[in-house]
Amino acid sequence: MPDEVVTLRIDAHHHFWRYADHLCEWMTDAPAVLHRDYLPDDLAPSLKSAGIDGTVIVQAAQTPAETDWLLEVAERISWVWGVVGWVDPASEDAVARAESWRATGQLVGIRLWYQDDPDGERLRSVLGTRLLGWAAEHDMPLDLLIRPRHLAAAVELVDHTPDVRFVIDHGAKPNIARWRPGDTDYLAWRDAMDRLACHERVDCKLSGLVTEAAPDWSPDDLRPYTDALLEMFGPTRLLWGSDWPVALSASAYSRWTECAESLLGKLSSGEREAIFGGNAARFYGLRRAG
């Protein structure tokens, strides 16, 4: 990886969607602000204001059709440097689809979506799929979209797949609105995340926290979680992302950016640059377009 990428600012987690496509089933109960199209022209002004050089689009719908579309978007938009797609690991054509996407040069990861499951049983079942072997063979990282109730299964998955790299999206979505540091649930989340962080091939995204906080959240509400993630993963394995436009239900792009910069203010400039760009470039193998 060229040395120059370390100084780039990268949004490692955002989405696009066309509302009329009705691909995002979860949106039925989503806040009204999300019930519209969110496309590159909508995001570009916020990226410019925040000084973001490149981004990673992450799937928002559990259908390969959306990934097909996102790859087309990435081909057209110079500041989109990679796509994290979705395919059902249990499907017979999972590997064939993933391989065809990899051939485009735009795919940088596959996301495993289990946040809505009541427990971790489906996540555990990923262990028997060919997709894991394919990911290991091609060094294709896997995003994990999970909640705290899935962390035990995530630990098992990571423990048994030593050749696969993972990133935990949104810190596994701790219940910031209800938990307090020292609570049993908070300590259980922290213990499980620490077990994941013990694996050097597991990174974590500093993203999606504002939507787990109370509507009147402040940086101090997030600090026990960001400090814990920083302590566990260190400044070399945290990737900053906006989770735009989902995060708009709780925060403007600029507010979350400024909040994250404040929460990381005690770090050196090099450590902040890593979290805001260099780590994403390394983890996903990103390069500046052109």
Side-chain angles (χ1 to χ4, degrees):
M1 187 65 59
D3 292 340
E4 66 167 317
V5 299
V6 177
T7 61
L8 298 177
R9 283 173 66 93
I10 298 170
D11 183 342
H13 195 108
H14 72 87
H15 311 283
F16 292 135
W17 59 69
R18 296 177 297 200
Y19 185 66
D21 288 349
H22 301 296
L23 296 179
C24 302
E25 296 180 3
W26 57 268
M27 201 175 289
T28 301
D29 300 320
V33 68
L34 303 182
H35 292 195
R36 47 154 285 196
D37 290 354
Y38 282 97
L39 299 169
D41 285 349
D42 300 303
L43 179 57
S46 294
L47 298 179
K48 183 177 181 180
S49 295
I52 303 298
D53 299 289
T55 75
V56 175
I57 318 175
V58 179
Q59 62 86 217
Q62 296 180 78
T63 169
E66 185 213 30
T67 300
D68 290 336
W69 174 65
L70 293 178
L71 291 166
E72 293 174 4
V73 172
E75 184 67 28
R76 293 187 290 104
I77 306 300
S78 62
W79 44 261
V80 173
W81 293 353
V83 172
V84 174
W86 180 91
V87 66
D88 181 356
S91 65
E92 292 184 1
D93 64 347
V95 168
R97 283 189 181 275
E99 182 59 31
S100 68
W101 292 335
R102 188 179 76 91
T104 68
Q106 304 290 346
L107 186 77
V108 297
I110 297 287
R111 181 149 84 152
L112 305 181
W113 177 311
Y114 296 103
Q115 68 169 351
D116 304 312
D117 285 19
D119 53 41
E121 289 311 301
R122 280 205 312 136
L123 180 55
R124 288 185 175 92
S125 72
V126 175
L127 274 170
T129 64
R130 292 175 55 226
L131 186 67
L132 281 184
W134 176 87
E137 179 183 355
H138 298 289
D139 194 28
M140 183 65 67
L142 302 179
D143 276 51
L144 291 181
L145 180 61
I146 57 175
R147 294 185 182 276
R149 63 179 177 269
H150 309 117
L151 280 169
V155 170
E156 291 180 29
L157 176 64
V158 171
D159 283 348
H160 289 86
T161 50
D163 299 321
V164 178
R165 294 185 296 116
F166 296 89
V167 61
I168 312 302
D169 289 351
H170 316 319
K173 294 195 165 186
N175 194 337
I176 298 172
R178 292 191 175 186
W179 297 352
R180 295 294 178 269
D183 289 352
T184 300
D185 288 334
Y186 171 86
L187 294 175
W189 165 80
R190 181 166 178 148
D191 179 67
M193 291 295 289
D194 191 45
R195 291 175 66 187
L196 290 171
C198 286
H199 296 277
E200 290 293 328
R201 56 196 166 80
V202 178
D203 286 26
C204 183
K205 287 187 180 176
L206 192 65
S207 61
L209 299 180
V210 293
T211 50
E212 303 306 315
D216 60 347
W217 67 272
S218 71
D220 286 340
D221 297 319
L222 308 184
R223 192 177 302 279
Y225 300 87
T226 58
D227 282 354
L229 293 174
L230 187 58
E231 179 181 336
M232 291 184 282
F233 290 90
T236 62
R237 289 191 288 141
L238 283 181
L239 286 62
W240 179 84
S242 67
D243 198 27
W244 180 96
V246 177
L248 292 179
S249 61
S251 171
Y253 195 104
S254 58
R255 185 185 179 198
W256 165 235
T257 306
E258 292 165 3
C259 174
E261 290 173 340
S262 173
L263 291 169
L264 300 175
K266 64 183 178 182
L267 301 180
S268 69
S269 59
E271 290 170 333
R272 291 194 301 273
E273 287 173 358
I275 294 172
F276 277 97
N279 295 341
R282 168 194 51 79
F283 183 82
Y284 285 123
L286 305 178
R287 296 179 182 274
R288 183 195 290 270

